[in-house]
Each structure stands twice: as C-alpha cells, then as structure tokens.
Amino acid sequence: MDKPVDVVVMAAGKGTRMKSALPKVLHRLGGRALTAHVLDTAARVSARHVVVITGHGASEVEASLSTWTSDGACFGFQSLAVQGSAAGVQPAELAPQAAPQLQFVRQAPQLGTGHAVQQAIPVLPDDGITLVLSGDVPLTQADTLQDLLALCRGNGALTEPGLALLTLDMADPTGYGRIVRQPDGAVRSIVEHKDATDAQRQITEIYSGIMAVPTSRLRGWLARLDNDNAQGEYYLTDVVKFAVADDCPVRAHCITDAVQVAGVNSPQQLAELERAWQARIAGQMMAEGVRLADPARFDLRGHLRCGRDVEIDINCVFEGSVTLGEGVRIGANCVIANAVIADGAVIHPFTHIDGEKLGVKVGEGALIGPFARLRPGADLGAEVHIGNFVEVKNSTLAAGAKANHLAYLGDATVGERVNYGAGSITANYDGANKHRTVIEADVHVGSNCVLVAPVTLGAGGTVGGGSTITKSTPPGALSVARGKQVSIANWQRPTKNKS
Ligand code: UD1
Ligand code: MG
C-alpha cells in the first residue's frame, strides 16, 4: 500500500506587499480564501492530515479556515442546493472530496520556511509522506502533485523513496531558489538567490516551494538546519544537501505551467491568478457542455452546478452556491448568488438574485427580469413571471403568478395565477414588526395598490387600481379603496399675480 500523504501548508508569512489589514492567505480568489484552494488541492490528493502553519493574523486565519469544507458548505446554503436538479454537472475543480483532518500549528516568531515545517513535524506520523505547500499558492493542480508524490515514493524495487522537488524553468528566475545539479544532472542542492554566486544566478531552473518527502527522513534533516546564510533564516531548502549527503535520492519534477506554482504577493498578482482560475473553471464548465458566450467574461465566486444545455451570456457573476437546471438561460450582466433555478427558466439581463442564507428558488419555466431583484426567501413556482424593477423578498409565488412591472412583494404568500399590477406594494413593515400578506389564487391586483399587512385577499377577487387595502377582502369581489372620482365643471386654475 502507498504511504499516506500528510500536507503541511505554510501560511505564517506577513504579505506586506498586499498593503492590507487582512492576512494575505485570506484574500479571496474565486470567492474563497487563497488557502481554502490549497486545502481543496490537499483533499484532492487524498491527504490524511493537513497541518496549517499560522503566524501573522493566526487567530483570524484559523477561525476562517476551520470552517473549510471541500463541498462549498461554507457558503451556508448547501441544503437547498442539494434539493435542486441533482443531475447537474460542476467544474471538476469543485467536486466534493473526502475531507482530511485539519490542524493548526503556530509559528512565532517566523524564522524561515525550515523553521515553519519544524513546528509541524511533531504532529506528523512517521509512516507518511510530507507534502509541503504554501498557503499563498492557490492554483497547483492535483495531477501535478500526484506526479510529485509518485516521484517521492519511487517505484518499489527499482528506485527507493526519496526527496521530490517541484521545479520550473523561468526566463527571469530572480529572487527564487536555484536548483544546482552535478555534471551528471543529479540534483545537489538548492541555493537561495541571496546566497547564490553569479554563476549560480545564471541557473534558470528554480524551486517552486513545493516538495514531497518521507516524513521519517524529513524529521532527521530538519533537526540539522541552521540559519548561517544571507537572510539569517532556517531554510527548508537546506534539506536537499542533507538528503544528498545521506545518499537519499533527490528527484526534480520540472513543470512548464508557471501559474501552478505562482504565489500571491500583491494585488496585481492576485488579479492575475483570479483570471487564470476563472479561465480554468470556465474551460471545465464548457467541457461539461455549459455554453458560455465568452469564457473571459464569466466569474464564479463559489460553487455552480449546471444541468444540460445551460446558456450563460456575458458578464455574469455567480456567488455562493448556485444550481441551474436543464436549459436555463442567463442573460447578460446578471449577479446570481445562493439560488436554485429550475429547468427551462430564463433570467433576463441585469437581474440581481441573492438568496443569502435562506436561498432563492425559481421554478420551472419562470421568466425573471430584465432588471428584477430576488432577495432571500423568494420562492417562485413554475411559469412565474417577474418583470422589470420588481423586488421579491421572503415570499412564495405559486405557479403562473405574475408581477411584471415596478412592484414589491415582501412577506407575501401569493396563489396560483395571481396578477399583481404595476406599482403595487405590500406594506409589510409597521416600523417594528413584519406582517404577512396573503393573496389567494386568481386574484387580480390593479396598478399602484398598497396592501397594508396583515391582510388577506380572497380567491378570485379583484382590487381596483390605486387602492390602499387595510382590511381583508372577500373572495370573488371587486374591492376598491380610494377617493371617489369627482369632476367639477369649468374649473378655473389660480393665476399668477403680475407685479
Ligand atoms: C521560498 C524558497 C525558494 C523558492 C520560493 C518559491 C526557502 C528558503 N526558499 O522562498 O527556494 O524559490 O519559496 O516561491 O524555502 N513562511 C512561513 N514561515 C516563515 C517563512 C515563510 O510560514 O518563517 C511561509 C510564507 O508565508 C509563504 C511560504 O512560507 O507562504 C514561502 O515563504 P516565502 O518567504 O515567500 O519564500 P521565499 O523565501 O521567497
Ligand atoms: Mg522569505
């Protein structure tokens, strides 16, 4: 059986160049903390334990990451999403994984990467492989790490387990640790830029910051580290020379995709990696059949699950947990968060949907927008129509109900086929409490009505335009509550004084 993998995530550094009060590793990429992506990757290589080394902003980092799950449950909206069209596909990157055991170890003060891993080593079992990752390097792919782990394990009789380094050839390697090789090509050491000779600085193969090593060997090598170098730090990279001295194989896995080992040190780098991540997710979604009008103008900041034949126009943002059923079409410039949108529904351009913790449900074949706003607890049945400048909050609309123009429905229960006129609102808040409005099936509410809750409009009734309804109305009746129209003949308007 393969040795189990235990991951150490270095996340103690300060991140001065972010110029932010937020610890660097909590800055968001695709809507999630940088280090949450690293934990996702650890889960994808079936890590047994993950030990996160914290330092700067330790309590904030620990509090944030302790809510991590690989299935997006951290968005607080998982239950409703699961009830949605279960058959949907999601980007491979976001598929749920078995969660490793997560543990935090503090490093104070921060005396270098070797010192960081020294803090974790007491909690790592000897029978595993330690995979060292950085909390600010979010886009490493699981396949790449599997290749590195295979190199670390060796292949049984032919090659023994050893130290495996992830490396990269870089046109401008300034600042990075260089991979120094013997004339026969064998790796001899890693020399940090600041300690390197001019000749060593010509080397373009750099150490990515990621290594895999049998934990029993690492333990011994870490005990031998010193800080006798240009930066006065305990360098993790010094374990390479100990491995060589101990005749332990050192192997390098050199990749060409720089994005996979790119770290975030500045807002510019964060934005670059954000675009790289979005491009990767968009590619995975299109591979699953989702039709994006322009993959460069698509943003996912959470989890998205799509049925067959989903079409998404340009400049849409999806946040939290969103499920789109079969044949759903999303118009341009929509922002959609924490919602389940059933098969065949159409969301027209410029619609804003955010279910927050309660979620939003849009029924089959519903038409929403343009310029609609669905807020938490909006639960719309099949074929419901919500038109421009209509806001719906904490309200249930049964099948076929329509509110097509300039209206507000808050804390309302709306029956089947109700037609809710332009400019009508539920007055649901008396300044202290919220009250419900019940509109039974087949009611027709005219334009510009105020329904003062609590109030019930009986089934099949009609409310005349411009009514302020303060008392419940009987079924089937026409209810009108407004000043009676009078006309005064030959009315003379006042005239202005001439002075
Ligand atoms: C390190 C490597 C270098 C490699 C580069 C790749 C060492 C000595 N050097 O350089 O060979 O090319 O990464 O990016 O390892 N951290 C801690 N505690 C510390 C110091 C750092 O947790 O005491 C964390 C940082 O937050 C960061 C990671 O370790 O996430 C790497 O540290 P950083 O200072 O960026 O690495 P370099 O010294 O630049
Ligand atoms: Mg450093």
Side-chain angles (χ1 to χ4, degrees):
M1 238 196 58
D2 279 344
K3 277 177 182 289
V5 177
D6 297 312
V7 169
V8 173
V9 180
M10 295 187 292
K14 192 164 181 185
T16 317
R17 279 188 282 155
M18 289 303 293
K19 300 186 177 160
S20 166
L22 187 68
K24 175 167 81 171
V25 293
L26 296 186
H27 279 269
R28 288 180 179 270
L29 181 127
R32 308 183 71 199
L34 288 172
T35 304
H37 291 270
V38 181
L39 300 183
D40 289 351
T41 311
R44 248 175 269 130
V45 298
S46 311
R48 171 176 61 177
H49 297 116
V50 175
V51 182
V52 181
I53 316 288
T54 61
H56 280 283
S59 11
E60 208 178 338
V61 173
E62 291 163 12
S64 166
L65 295 180
S66 57
T67 64
W68 171 85
T69 61
S70 72
D71 58 7
C74 56
F75 296 108
F77 181 59
Q78 199 56 13
S79 51
L80 199 48
V82 169
Q83 291 163 19
S85 47
V89 296
Q90 61 185 160
E93 193 88 353
L94 301 177
Q97 305 290 329
Q101 192 197 325
L102 184 60
Q103 212 175 329
F104 298 97
V105 171
R106 290 202 183 180
Q107 184 201 16
Q110 286 91 42
L111 303 179
T113 51
H115 179 251
V117 180
Q118 276 172 351
Q119 312 310 303
I121 205 82
V123 305
L124 296 177
D126 249 347
D127 64 341
I129 289 177
T130 298
L131 174 64
V132 178
L133 304 176
S134 286
D136 57 357
V137 178
L139 298 189
T140 318
Q141 287 191 300
D143 301 2
T144 303
L145 295 180
Q146 295 290 18
D147 292 346
L148 187 73
L149 288 165
L151 213 55
C152 172
R153 291 188 171 108
N155 56 1
L158 283 177
T159 53
E160 56 172 312
L163 171 58
L165 306 170
L166 189 64
T167 71
L168 183 82
D169 244 315
M170 270 190 138
D172 177 11
T174 309
Y176 290 93
R178 307 298 208 285
I179 305 295
V180 180
R181 291 176 182 264
Q182 326 255 34
D184 67 358
V187 176
R188 193 172 68 202
S189 63
I190 298 175
V191 179
E192 292 304 306
H193 182 90
K194 287 186 177 146
D195 299 285
T197 62
D198 284 342
Q200 288 167 333
R201 287 185 182 178
Q202 303 307 309
I203 298 172
T204 54
E205 187 185 5
I206 62 106
Y207 170 56
S208 66
I210 295 174
M211 64 169 70
V213 46
T215 305
S216 54
R217 307 302 303 260
L218 179 64
R219 198 179 303 281
W221 298 331
L222 286 176
R224 287 151 68 179
L225 292 181
D226 63 46
N227 64 353
D228 185 13
N229 53 52
Q231 301 182 80
E233 285 183 10
Y234 294 87
Y235 290 164
L236 177 61
T237 43
D238 280 350
V239 301
V240 176
K241 63 186 185 207
F242 299 137
V244 172
D246 289 356
D247 281 329
C248 175
V250 179
R251 307 182 186 102
H253 177 44
C254 189
I255 61 168
T256 52
D257 180 10
V259 151
Q260 289 202 42
V261 297
V264 171
N265 296 297
S266 65
Q268 288 82 348
Q269 287 170 343
L270 180 61
E272 277 167 30
L273 292 195
E274 174 77 24
R275 291 331 306 163
W277 188 81
Q278 295 295 351
R280 187 188 282 179
I281 293 294
Q284 289 175 7
M285 301 219 342
M286 292 188 294
E288 296 291 349
V290 176
R291 297 196 285 277
L292 300 178
D294 181 358
R297 285 179 291 171
F298 162 82
D299 285 85
L300 177 57
R301 301 178 188 155
H303 279 241
L304 177 61
R305 185 179 282 277
C306 293
R308 242 188 343 187
D309 285 312
V310 165
E311 288 182 10
I312 300 175
D313 208 335
I314 57 166
N315 291 337
C316 292
V317 179
F318 297 88
E319 297 179 340
S321 172
V322 175
T323 301
L324 305 179
E326 198 165 316
V328 165
R329 283 189 287 137
I330 311 288
N333 302 300
C334 290
V335 177
I336 301 182
N338 301 310
V340 177
I341 299 181
D343 298 354
V346 178
I347 313 295
H348 288 296
F350 296 99
T351 291
H352 184 254
I353 299 177
D354 190 355
E356 297 175 25
K357 296 261 184 248
L358 285 176
V360 162
K361 283 202 249 180
V362 174
E364 283 185 25
L367 303 179
I368 312 296
F371 297 101
R373 180 170 186 213
L374 303 183
R375 293 175 50 205
D379 184 348
L380 315 182
E383 313 287 335
V384 162
H385 292 186
I386 299 293
N388 43 221
F389 307 105
V390 175
E391 173 183 352
V392 182
K393 184 218 77 169
N394 194 30
S395 293
T396 306
L397 276 73
K402 292 181 177 143
N404 271 329
H405 328 266
L406 304 158
Y408 175 56
L409 280 162
D411 303 301
T413 303
V414 178
E416 293 183 346
R417 297 171 300 277
V418 162
N419 195 312
Y420 192 75
S424 290
I425 65 157
T426 54
N428 56 324
Y429 185 52
D430 61 14
N433 300 299
K434 304 269 171 68
H435 300 281
R436 271 203 102 69
T437 301
V438 177
I439 307 176
E440 293 179 352
D442 300 300
V443 164
H444 183 104
V445 178
S447 296
N448 221 29
C449 293
V450 180
L451 309 178
V452 183
V455 72
T456 297
L457 309 186
T462 302
V463 177
S467 292
T468 296
I469 298 292
T470 55
K471 292 191 297 251
S472 292
T473 61
L478 166 66
S479 302
V480 185
R482 61 173 185 239
K484 248 202 167 112
Q485 182 166 326
V486 291
S487 297
I488 298 170
N490 302 318
W491 177 254
Q492 295 296 314
R493 280 195 298 270
T495 51
K496 280 186 183 163
N497 286 335
K498 288 196 182 103
S499 56

